[in-house]
Amino acid sequence: MVDSLAGLRAEHASLQEQLSDSAVHTNPGLARKINRRYAELSAIMGADELVRGLDDDLAAAKELSKEDSAFAEELPVLEKQLAEAGEKLRRLLIPRDPDDGRDVIIEVKAGEGGAESALFAADLLRMYLHYATSKGWKTEVLSKTESDLGGIKDVQVAIKSNAKDPAQGVWAHMKYEGGVHRVQRVPVTETQGRIHTSAVGVLAFPEVDEPEEVEISQNDIRIDVFRSSGPGGQSVNTTDSAVRITHLPTGIVVSMQNEKSQLQNRDAAMRVLRARILAAQQEELNAELSAARKSQVRSVDRSERIRTYNFPENRIADHRTGYKSYNLDQVMDGALEPVVQSCIQTDEEAQLAAFGDS
């Protein structure tokens, strides 16, 4: 640990020097990355300083206790504080997901359940928007296709944060939302009061900091334009403003029709496309490295059903962590933090175990 901390101290000092260079701040993407890493290392440096200080205090107290019994009484307290500080430092030294500090694009898609699924997709959207507000994050609806009865067929939302500490980043919290969300309740369309089970799919992608980060050749994309459809303003069904972009090498398709301008829809589609390509590249890399790097193992599988929302019982349950509570009404109003924290803690424990074995 001493050797690794020595390297981290040198890196921390180097980053501090880089941040004092005005030339760095002319490149927003570079400055953002340096700030994130600096904030991460600053937390480690603070924990390391606390550990070393407590270690010195404990050594001094042990020496003085030989002559004064009063100092012997301090030993258990100092030993406990040192153990707690050491554990905090150990957790901070766990290799962090490099994308934790990134902003996020969330996609919510209605699935099985027809109109009820679309209604619940709208409920999930409101939940995420309220949660983002509670965290001080900014949100931007990039695309939304509405259904009857006020539901949503699909929606894409960008969520941004100004936090420099990766632990407080949007991806650090929202990456656990990807998967199948199951709802159990009596739909508004149900005339006999029967409880139905529906499902909504959620996808989460870390957003690209700068367009240059993911290179997309114009020869690798096909752009189609068409008329917007569904409820909307005067431009709907009258102009070819909607855009569909297909990335030929991967087969990823992104469509946008929210804006009246074809150019705005194209920019939004490229933004989502870059995020999807970045996610695909990282998933491929993680799959290749998973056998060799235990630090990359994640305990939370986003491809499976992750959560159940039971309205009759006012219960929410996360199937990955075992978390369960009976305040679903509050969660749907944006009080999602305890659920997210259960995922973070479960992931941390898995990482800590892997880190200890490495």
Side-chain angles (χ1 to χ4, degrees):
M1 182 180 291
V2 174
D3 291 339
S4 63
L5 285 176
L8 293 178
R9 291 191 196 102
E11 183 184 357
H12 184 258
S14 175
L15 292 174
Q16 189 173 37
E17 185 177 345
Q18 291 179 55
L19 287 173
S20 65
D21 185 354
S22 58
V24 168
H25 298 279
T26 62
N27 184 334
L30 176 62
R32 191 180 299 113
K33 290 177 181 178
I34 293 177
N35 267 308
R36 286 176 185 165
R37 181 59 175 165
Y38 181 73
E40 182 181 358
L41 291 181
S42 293
I44 295 174
M45 295 301 102
D48 175 45
E49 184 177 352
L50 178 60
V51 167
R52 288 187 286 121
L54 287 170
D55 193 44
D56 290 342
D57 291 345
L58 180 60
K62 285 181 177 179
E63 186 65 29
L64 292 171
S65 67
K66 298 175 182 178
E67 302 176 2
D68 189 341
S69 60
F71 286 100
E73 298 176 1
E74 296 182 15
L75 295 181
V77 176
L78 288 171
E79 288 171 348
K80 181 181 179 182
Q81 290 177 342
L82 180 59
E84 291 174 348
E87 178 64 15
K88 179 180 179 181
L89 176 59
R90 187 164 175 254
R91 287 179 178 273
L92 288 172
L93 287 172
I94 297 172
R96 175 171 289 281
D97 184 336
D99 293 327
D100 276 353
R102 290 184 185 266
D103 297 324
V104 168
I105 292 177
I106 285 282
E107 298 186 19
V108 182
K109 297 178 178 291
E112 298 178 3
E116 166 61 5
S117 178
L119 288 171
F120 186 59
D123 291 338
L124 281 184
L125 171 62
R126 285 191 291 271
M127 179 185 75
Y128 288 139
L129 294 179
H130 288 157
Y131 177 58
T133 298
S134 73
K135 301 287 289 182
W137 299 336
K138 295 181 180 179
T139 59
E140 177 189 0
V141 176
L142 301 177
S143 178
K144 181 170 66 174
T145 305
E146 298 178 343
S147 69
D148 297 333
L149 304 177
I152 291 176
K153 293 181 180 179
D154 60 79
V155 62
Q156 295 169 323
V157 182
I159 307 178
K160 292 183 171 291
S161 168
N162 292 323
K164 294 180 180 179
D165 185 355
Q168 302 303 318
V170 183
W171 179 250
H173 293 75
M174 296 301 292
K175 61 185 173 184
Y176 302 105
E177 295 307 301
V180 177
H181 296 242
R182 185 177 69 169
V183 59
Q184 296 172 324
R185 65 183 178 185
V186 179
V188 294
T189 55
E190 171 59 49
T191 58
Q192 299 181 18
R194 294 174 299 184
I195 297 175
H196 289 218
T197 298
S198 302
V200 169
V202 175
L203 300 174
F205 305 103
E207 187 164 10
V208 174
D209 286 330
E210 300 295 328
E212 297 77 14
E213 189 175 351
V214 174
E215 295 184 8
I216 300 178
S217 170
Q218 291 299 311
N219 294 328
D220 288 339
I221 60 175
R222 184 179 70 244
I223 301 177
D224 301 307
V225 296
F226 55 98
R227 292 189 178 184
S228 302
S229 60
Q234 294 180 352
S235 64
V236 174
N237 289 319
T238 62
T239 61
D240 291 335
S241 60
V243 172
R244 181 188 300 110
I245 300 180
T246 303
H247 187 243
L248 301 176
T250 62
I252 296 173
V253 180
V254 179
S255 298
M256 288 288 168
Q257 63 174 19
N258 246 36
E259 303 297 334
K260 296 180 180 179
S261 162
Q262 184 183 121
L263 181 59
Q264 288 177 310
N265 283 325
R266 173 172 174 163
D267 288 344
M270 287 298 295
R271 188 172 164 185
V272 174
L273 179 62
R274 290 189 189 97
R276 287 188 177 181
I277 292 175
L278 176 66
Q281 290 174 346
Q282 290 172 337
E283 286 179 7
E284 182 178 352
L285 179 62
N286 286 343
E288 293 174 354
L289 299 179
S290 61
R293 292 178 58 187
K294 292 183 179 180
S295 63
Q296 294 295 328
V297 174
R298 287 289 182 267
S299 61
V300 179
D301 186 348
R302 292 179 290 149
S303 67
E304 299 177 350
R305 184 190 68 193
I306 64 168
R307 204 173 287 155
T308 293
Y309 305 73
N310 187 303
F311 280 77
E313 298 180 10
N314 199 34
R315 170 174 55 83
I316 182 168
D318 195 290
H319 305 296
R320 303 160 297 180
T321 67
Y323 177 89
K324 184 185 295 184
S325 69
Y326 292 84
N327 66 334
L328 178 57
D329 52 340
Q330 297 175 30
V331 172
M332 298 309 296
D333 283 335
L336 188 61
E337 187 67 9
V339 189
V340 173
Q341 285 300 322
S342 74
C343 295
I344 292 175
Q345 291 170 11
T346 299
D347 206 359
E348 261 190 12
E349 293 299 329
Q351 289 275 27
L352 193 60
F355 185 61
D357 292 339
S358 61

